[in-house]
Amino acid sequence: MSVLVKGITKAFKPGTNIISDLTGEFRGGEISVLLGPSGCGKTTTLRCIAGLETPTDGEITIDGRVVYSSRQAVSLPPEKRDIGMVFQSYAIWPHMTVHENVMLPLRAHGVPRDRARARVDDTLKLVGLDGLGERNATQLSGGQQQRVAIARCLVHHPKVILLDEPLSNLDASLRISMRGELRDLQRRIDATMIFVTHDQEEAMSIADEIFLFHAGQIEQHDRPQNLYMKPRTRYVAEFLGKANLIPSKIRNQGDAAELVSARTGETIAKGRFDTSNWTADEGIGMVRPEAWRLDAGSSPSLSGRVGTVTFLGDRIELQVETPIGAQRVVVLSPRRIAVGDAVTLSVSAEHVHMIGGT
Amino acid sequence: MDIAATRSTRSTRSADVRHSTLFTFLFAVIIVTVVIPLCFVFFDGLFKIENHRLTVMLQYFEQVMGNRRYWVALTNTAVVALGATVVAVLLGVALAWLLVRTNTPGAALVENLAVIPIFIPPFVGAFAWILLAAPRIGIFNLISRMLGFGEPVDIYTHLGMAFVIGIYLAPYVLMIVASALRSMDPSLEEAGQVSGMSVARTAMTITLPVVAPAIFSSAILTFVITIGLFGTPVLLGWSKQILLITSRIYLEWQDVPPAYGVIAVLSIYLVIFSGAAMLLQHWLLKGRSFVTVTGKGYRPRILQLGNARFLACGAAWTYLTLAVFAPLAVVVAAAMFTYTWSGNFTWANILFLWTSNDVAETLKNSLLITVLAATTTTTFGIFVAWVTCRTTLRGRHLLEFLVLLPASVPGIAFGIGVAFFWLRVPIGIYGTIWIIVLAYLGRYASYAVGTISSSLVQVHPELEESARICGYGWLKTLSQITLPLVRPSIVSSWVLLYSIFITELSMVTILHTTETRTFSILTFNTWYNGRFANVASLSLLQLLLGVAVMFVVRASAKRLGPGE
């Protein structure tokens, strides 16, 4: 039940592409998250899959069926694509009850009334809304409306479920618990979901695979952990979490290779480095703030002085001035540390990730 | 068509060939009901076809320019329109300020009642004021003469016309200015006073300039409505032959054969007049809308008037008396006498409404035309509003513009265009009720579009999109989701159009024939024949059909419909 997007382009005005020549495969039975800042084309891509926007070019296949193809002049309307969708605003019809809202997809597909009724009840139970069917949809809380929207999209067993920033209207704690529920629900019914969000924490916690968007294209896609640990470009490294990006060179080869600062020649780490991302003999060494260790005595190490200290409860964020520039460092609480303290920073070779470019 | 379809598919939110088909259809309707009639007005005044060649012809313009009576009509129109505008603006602004910004007792009630004059047909208002203030028969003059003061007022003058038109248009000014005052951030004034200005100076240097654009827009609106009025100027101007352009057009139309060229030129005058006013507004108000509409309601600062508040209250009720209560009372009274102020009570005039064949026939016509036209126009409005709000089809702004265009064209001029067009088309529209329906549709479609789209923009597009995802097609989504959600606006559009159409006079004057006489025409002719007692009972019936039906439908719609 995978969704295949091949070379799609969408321009609202000629010459200004929202997405250009975008290709990707969203695998069946998984949650694929489209992540990126606003205006990067993730929502447009989702709406193209839904049929709510028509691409200017390309081809879209859902479960092997071509739903859009500029070459074959195919463009199925949304109602013919057999999908479910949860909208950012939930789009609960205010003139209908909860039951009627959830019933509508079944009515639209001509499911007999008594069978439909039973299915609506089952679905409402599945999302934890049993007993609320006769409520007017507008009398529900935000979280309940969200569940109605999910129930409505599940009730007809669509091949693919599309979610457009579904959690962004909920408050912080509800958002986190809904994340878990969505994840559970997806596993239980083995659904294929494509989920749009701009919240990287949400993306990493819910995704089987993240598709990171940048300027109308997929910059990189991978399992969340891989994407975080092994970003292929500077953009990905900076977008996901925080990163120290150090222009570097490799000295020597093999197990005793040394990573040195390209600017000052300081040795940063020693060991075996994977330079397959590098196109030249120079590039960027990425060290995540939590990868730096503050223990003295390791070799090689950088001496530095603490510039700023930000206490964040479970952890402390430091800015450490070193010969190779200011480094962002995160250490776990409790730890006594003050501005002006002298510290030594070290990192093991396996925690340095190499990115091409400068 | 093929090219248009593929091109628009590429630029629409939701690709649907049916959208472009619908769009083409809507465009065709607008071309036939608006664009061609307007073109015909200009064509007949300015061009003629000679030996299969189109030539410009200034003969009719010269004829109109060279004749003194047309100059008089033009001056009369300008004088009366300006006068009425001044009256309406003074009354409207004063009332708005008193009702919104002071502690005048009963302000909310007065404001609600003050919309009634808008729904009193101009003909009925003018007729009532004849009974109130005409020489010899006017109540004021009768009483004054009995008391030995002579006859102080004469409604059959420029001033009288300006006054009557002004008091009936003042509610427009009131509504526009009141809403500007309400949406003005009170901290603007507070900042002025904190800076050391007195209340009066704050009002003059801050409040007035901020609401000035609203006052100006309402003044232009009043002006444009006035130059297009037909019923009031004819009724009040007839006895002393103070004729406006609209009355002139009517007179020329009665001639056999009518001087089509002259009529066209006079209609062009009207179009230019109102066009110029609209341009002036556009030009002067460009980038000068100070009142930021945030959608957030401010609580206006209330000025404590002290004992003067009773004076203010008295003034507000005096206005209501002049515009609503006295006219109503005098029309009811007149309908109860054998002839005007004979003192002999009779039911005959009321019974006449039951027994007269004319009444039954014209009423049937009026209702048929009104229901047909209000329904078609509202339906048309639904589709135009949907296309302009919900699609990105190229040309939708042009469609919107064309729909809005006739709103500033005086009714009688528009009627002339419609007549000229269908006179030339061999299919039998001319002389049937259909020509009136088409004229109403073209002239008033913008009312329906405006009412419905203001409600449609509040319906989140995702509500429709989710229905499409759930498996509903486009039409099913429209009928099951969109229309139920905007139902209150559909009802109010229909009711508004109903109340306009049921008493419309300026277009039917041009477009009716003996078979398609409407009730408003019957009333007008009865006045023309001088049977005032019958006119009074017919006016009452007009009020009942218009205002009363509207209030009933509104009240029940409020009860049944989902709250707006």
Side-chain angles (χ1 to χ4, degrees):
Chain A
M1 292 208 206
S2 65
V3 174
L4 218 68
V5 168
K6 247 187 271 169
I8 63 166
T9 296
K10 171 72 185 175
F12 288 104
K13 282 184 208 136
T16 52
N17 288 353
I18 302 294
I19 45 182
S20 37
D21 197 16
L22 184 136
T23 298
E25 184 187 356
F26 309 107
R27 270 187 290 240
E30 287 194 355
I31 300 186
S32 302
V33 171
L34 315 189
L35 175 67
S38 62
C40 67
K42 55 191 192 305
T43 296
T44 307
T45 305
L46 192 79
R47 292 172 61 88
C48 284
I49 296 171
L52 295 170
E53 306 278 3
T54 311
T56 333
D57 205 1
E59 189 176 285
I60 300 173
T61 315
I62 297 177
D63 194 23
R65 182 170 65 133
V66 175
V67 294
Y68 172 79
S69 164
S70 57
R71 211 162 29 84
Q72 300 170 41
V74 173
S75 179
L76 293 184
E79 63 268 25
K80 298 269 157 62
R81 295 196 179 191
D82 199 8
I83 47 178
M85 185 161 175
V86 177
F87 290 83
Q88 188 172 7
S89 68
Y90 312 142
I92 304 298
W93 299 303
H95 59 302
M96 299 180 180
T97 63
V98 169
H99 204 279
E100 287 167 338
N101 262 279
V102 179
M103 178 83 106
L104 191 132
L106 302 175
R107 262 170 55 200
H109 290 93
V111 177
R113 221 175 169 73
D114 41 341
R115 200 138 56 82
R117 205 174 281 280
R119 247 171 63 199
V120 171
D121 289 339
D122 288 347
T123 314
L124 285 178
K125 204 172 285 170
L126 184 71
V127 298
L129 281 180
D130 30 345
L132 292 183
E134 292 319 308
R135 284 281 182 90
N136 208 318
T138 44
Q139 295 169 319
L140 302 179
S141 69
Q144 287 170 324
Q145 290 197 17
Q146 166 89 74
R147 285 162 209 264
V148 176
I150 293 170
R152 185 177 66 191
C153 122
L154 293 178
V155 72
H156 189 241
H157 306 315
K159 291 203 173 81
V160 180
I161 296 169
L162 309 173
L163 305 102
D164 184 11
E165 307 231 9
L167 305 177
S168 62
N169 280 335
L170 300 175
D171 59 54
S173 62
L174 193 56
R175 192 153 56 209
I176 290 168
S177 66
M178 279 309 287
R179 252 186 232 164
E181 279 188 39
L182 264 180
R183 191 72 260 202
D184 286 350
L185 192 67
Q186 186 266 339
R187 296 243 166 80
R188 247 186 301 156
I189 60 176
D190 195 25
T192 305
M193 284 187 180
I194 304 179
F195 188 111
V196 163
T197 183
H198 64 267
D199 180 338
Q200 44 166 304
E201 200 184 301
E202 190 170 289
M204 286 193 271
S205 64
I206 206 170
D208 288 306
E209 186 160 7
I210 293 178
F211 293 76
L212 188 70
F213 275 63
H214 175 44
Q217 276 170 326
I218 296 173
E219 183 90 358
Q220 188 179 349
H221 63 97
D222 210 332
R223 306 278 152 191
Q225 209 161 358
N226 284 346
L227 204 64
Y228 182 77
M229 301 308 290
K230 302 198 179 323
R232 207 174 301 135
T233 62
R234 189 190 182 107
Y235 179 83
V236 179
E238 286 182 321
F239 188 86
L240 277 187
K242 286 163 181 158
N244 296 297
L245 302 174
I246 308 160
S248 320
K249 276 186 211 164
I250 294 283
R251 203 188 286 150
N252 303 332
Q253 295 294 320
D255 287 347
E258 281 182 8
L259 183 78
V260 298
S261 161
R263 241 181 279 142
T264 61
E266 212 89 20
T267 303
I268 299 158
K270 210 174 194 171
R272 175 176 281 278
F273 299 96
D274 174 12
T275 55
S276 56
N277 256 339
W278 285 16
T279 46
D281 57 346
E282 238 184 86
I284 291 170
M286 179 196 82
V287 181
R288 292 286 181 191
E290 64 277 10
W292 284 117
R293 282 186 319 231
L294 281 182
D295 325 316
S298 319
S299 169
S301 67
L302 298 165
S303 56
R305 198 164 285 282
V306 176
T308 61
V309 177
T310 314
F311 177 65
L312 292 170
D314 57 343
R315 61 192 197 277
I316 301 170
E317 238 180 65
L318 309 173
Q319 182 104 348
V320 179
E321 305 298 335
T322 73
I324 61 163
Q327 298 296 309
R328 205 191 272 270
V329 179
V330 168
V331 293
L332 291 179
S333 304
R335 180 151 186 165
R336 296 200 65 84
I337 216 155
V339 174
D341 285 359
V343 290
T344 29
L345 296 183
S346 61
V347 63
S348 66
E350 55 182 325
H351 288 144
V352 183
H353 173 69
M354 322 299 280
I355 301 171
T358 43
Chain B
M1 180 60 220
D2 265 356
I3 294 165
T6 41
R7 187 188 286 163
S8 54
T9 306
R10 214 177 279 164
S11 62
T12 39
R13 279 180 89 151
S14 38
D16 208 323
V17 184
R18 279 170 303 175
H19 293 176
S20 22
T21 315
L22 169 72
F23 188 66
T24 315
F25 174 73
L26 296 175
F27 232 104
V29 172
I30 273 301
I31 298 279
V32 170
T33 58
V34 173
V35 180
I36 299 182
L38 284 179
C39 287
F40 263 98
V41 172
F42 284 89
F43 182 84
D44 276 17
L46 284 169
F47 301 99
K48 71 171 168 203
I49 296 173
E50 228 170 21
N51 310 326
H52 304 286
R53 278 208 357 253
L54 191 69
T55 46
V56 179
M57 170 193 51
L58 294 172
Q59 169 199 340
Y60 295 122
F61 257 98
E62 282 159 9
Q63 198 176 331
V64 171
M65 301 277 240
N67 193 325
R68 203 181 149 274
R69 64 178 180 210
Y70 299 120
W71 283 108
V72 171
L74 193 64
T75 334
N76 284 343
T77 300
V79 167
V80 170
L82 282 175
T85 307
V86 170
V87 172
V89 167
L90 287 179
L91 273 172
V93 172
L95 280 171
W97 186 75
L98 285 177
L99 298 178
V100 177
R101 305 301 297 274
T102 71
N103 62 339
T104 304
L109 176 66
V110 173
E111 206 180 335
N112 277 330
L113 292 176
V115 296
I116 297 177
I118 290 182
F119 299 103
I120 295 179
F123 177 93
V124 176
F127 176 68
W129 271 91
I130 290 177
L131 297 176
L132 282 170
R136 291 195 327 279
I137 60 160
I139 287 272
F140 287 159
N141 291 326
L142 280 178
I143 294 172
S144 160
R145 208 165 51 213
M146 272 194 297
L147 298 174
F149 295 118
E151 295 200 352
V153 288
D154 182 357
I155 208 73
Y156 293 145
T157 56
H158 289 93
L159 189 66
M161 276 191 223
F163 171 77
V164 172
I165 296 170
I167 59 171
Y168 284 103
L169 295 182
Y172 289 106
V173 181
L174 166 64
M175 287 194 297
I176 293 170
V177 175
S179 96
L181 282 172
R182 284 209 173 86
S183 56
M184 177 183 170
D185 184 349
S187 64
L188 294 177
E189 288 174 0
E190 283 159 4
Q193 276 183 285
V194 170
S195 317
M197 280 195 281
S198 66
V199 175
R201 256 191 89 192
T202 310
M204 294 313 290
T205 54
I206 294 173
T207 319
L208 197 63
V210 169
V211 295
I215 297 176
F216 190 71
S217 310
S218 62
I220 294 283
L221 179 69
T222 316
F223 184 82
V224 169
I225 294 177
T226 309
I227 57 176
L229 274 181
F230 168 69
T232 321
V234 171
L235 252 67
L236 299 181
W238 199 253
S239 83
K240 296 202 172 137
Q241 288 293 296
I242 303 173
L243 297 178
L244 274 52
I245 300 178
T246 47
S247 352
R248 265 285 163 223
I249 293 178
Y250 170 71
L251 272 185
E252 302 286 347
W253 189 258
Q254 302 302 313
D255 273 355
V256 183
Y260 289 131
V262 169
I263 291 171
V265 171
L266 289 175
S267 303
I268 294 173
Y269 273 14
L270 285 180
V271 174
I272 290 174
F273 236 129
S274 55
M278 301 302 272
L279 278 180
L280 181 71
Q281 173 182 15
H282 186 75
W283 179 63
L284 281 179
L285 293 187
K286 224 184 331 184
R288 276 174 51 94
S289 177
F290 299 127
V291 180
T292 36
V293 180
T294 51
K296 144 169 129 191
Y298 294 108
R299 183 188 307 178
R301 276 163 25 106
I302 299 293
L303 191 73
Q304 301 298 323
L305 281 185
N307 281 336
R309 69 181 191 275
F310 298 113
L311 202 68
C313 181
W317 284 94
T318 306
Y319 167 72
L320 289 178
T321 308
L322 291 179
V324 182
F325 304 131
L328 277 184
V330 84
V331 172
V332 172
M336 299 295 179
F337 292 130
T338 46
Y339 57 92
T340 315
W341 314 141
S342 63
N344 299 323
F345 176 84
T346 176
W347 286 111
N349 301 314
I350 306 292
L351 284 174
F352 155 79
L353 298 176
W354 286 105
T355 52
S356 159
N357 265 339
D358 279 345
V359 174
E361 227 164 78
T362 55
L363 207 54
K364 212 178 69 195
N365 273 340
S366 274
L367 283 171
L368 183 64
I369 291 170
T370 300
V371 169
L372 275 173
T375 309
T376 359
T377 310
T378 301
T379 313
F380 182 71
I382 291 170
F383 284 109
V384 172
W386 192 85
V387 162
T388 51
C389 291
R390 285 291 198 265
T391 72
T392 52
L393 288 168
R394 204 167 300 167
R396 68 187 193 285
H397 293 304
L398 178 64
L399 181 70
E400 216 174 359
F401 171 78
L402 291 177
V403 166
L404 211 69
L405 193 60
S408 58
V409 175
I412 201 162
F414 192 79
I416 292 290
V418 173
F420 282 173
F421 171 37
W422 292 108
L423 267 171
R424 303 242 169 70
V425 177
I427 47 172
I429 299 284
Y430 191 87
T432 65
I433 61 166
W434 295 105
I435 190 171
I436 302 174
V437 172
L438 287 174
Y440 285 173
L441 171 66
R443 171 87 167 84
Y444 290 101
S446 61
Y447 288 46
V449 175
T451 313
I452 295 164
S453 36
S454 70
S455 168
L456 195 57
V457 292
Q458 315 229 356
V459 173
H460 202 300
E462 286 184 354
L463 291 169
E464 289 173 20
E465 288 169 0
S466 60
R468 297 295 300 274
I469 300 278
C470 288
Y472 270 2
W474 169 68
L475 263 178
K476 192 109 198 224
T477 302
L478 190 70
S479 67
Q480 300 292 306
I481 306 290
T482 319
L483 295 190
L485 288 174
V486 299
R487 192 175 58 195
S489 75
I490 294 173
V491 173
S492 40
S493 158
W494 197 92
V495 172
L496 176 68
L497 294 174
Y498 167 90
S499 73
I500 295 172
F501 294 166
I502 196 79
T503 57
E504 212 280 343
L505 183 61
S506 33
M507 284 198 288
V508 278
T509 293
I510 302 299
L511 298 173
H512 79 278
T513 59
T514 37
E515 276 95 64
T516 60
R517 264 194 316 167
T518 64
F519 187 58
S520 54
I521 293 291
L522 175 71
T523 317
F524 184 76
N525 289 343
T526 311
W527 165 80
Y528 195 82
N529 297 331
R531 304 208 313 273
F532 276 27
N534 282 345
V535 177
S537 60
L538 290 168
S539 295
L540 279 183
L541 190 54
Q542 280 211 12
L543 280 174
L544 201 70
L545 284 170
V547 186
V549 168
M550 197 193 66
F551 274 100
V552 168
V553 176
R554 268 203 170 170
S556 55
K558 224 171 249 173
R559 221 155 13 85
L560 296 173
E564 246 181 317

